[in-house]
Amino acid sequence: MSETPEVLFVCVHNAGRSQMAAALLDHHGAGRVVVRSAGSQPADQLNPAVVEAMAELGLDISKEFPKPLTEDAVKASDVVITMGCGDECPYFPGKRYLDWKLEDPAGQGIDAVRPIRDEIDTRVQALLAELLAPAQPTA
């Protein structure tokens, strides 16, 4: 893994789950992690309920936009996290792949998005702790 861990969050539209995960990891990581997000079929805009849910935490993602998944983004990342949506993600040896099975916030109102956001936040904080943990000496 690189000195500064690089994480890529991927979902189909890059309009909800992956955007929330990226914003939360960027926030909690405070510059200690490089964060990207992308979608296999990017939407035209972010889910408004997702933007609202993140604003409730003081995180403004309103200027973000869905981005296409590229091989370069995968190659540059140490950890690639798909968001439970069955994406066909390019595979490169030496990368760590995780699949977080999460409900899709597409078409959902704010009351349905909040628990998804909170579950992502819990997972992001656990991932961050793992990524930033000191390397354990091998015996």
Side-chain angles (χ1 to χ4, degrees):
M1 188 168 314
S2 38
E3 195 170 302
T4 301
E6 299 194 30
V7 178
L8 171 64
F9 292 101
V10 182
C11 67
V12 174
H13 300 297
N14 190 224
R17 294 168 288 194
S18 56
Q19 290 281 349
M20 287 191 285
L24 288 161
L25 183 56
D26 187 58
H27 171 72
H28 294 305
R32 298 172 292 170
V33 179
V34 175
V35 184
R36 296 177 189 81
S37 70
S40 56
Q41 299 170 21
D44 294 330
Q45 64 183 22
L46 295 190
N47 176 332
V50 165
V51 173
E52 183 181 350
M54 296 305 287
E56 290 178 351
L57 299 180
L59 300 175
D60 181 6
I61 64 169
S62 63
K63 292 183 177 43
E64 293 296 329
F65 58 92
K67 295 166 273 313
L69 177 62
T70 65
E71 280 193 17
D72 288 342
V74 177
K75 284 180 185 176
S77 301
D78 298 303
V79 181
V80 179
I81 300 174
T82 58
M83 311 302 273
C85 44
D87 278 330
E88 290 298 318
C89 207
Y91 177 81
F92 294 96
K95 306 293 176 194
R96 180 175 173 202
Y97 291 87
L98 301 171
D99 183 41
W100 290 357
K101 295 189 184 331
L102 298 159
E103 189 175 335
D104 189 350
Q108 304 278 358
I110 186 70
D111 290 335
V113 172
R114 282 185 191 113
I116 300 168
R117 174 203 64 199
D118 295 345
E119 173 67 20
I120 291 170
D121 193 29
T122 298
R123 291 178 187 218
V124 158
Q125 290 189 53
L127 174 68
L128 182 63
E130 183 182 316
L131 292 174
L132 299 180
Q136 299 299 315
T138 54

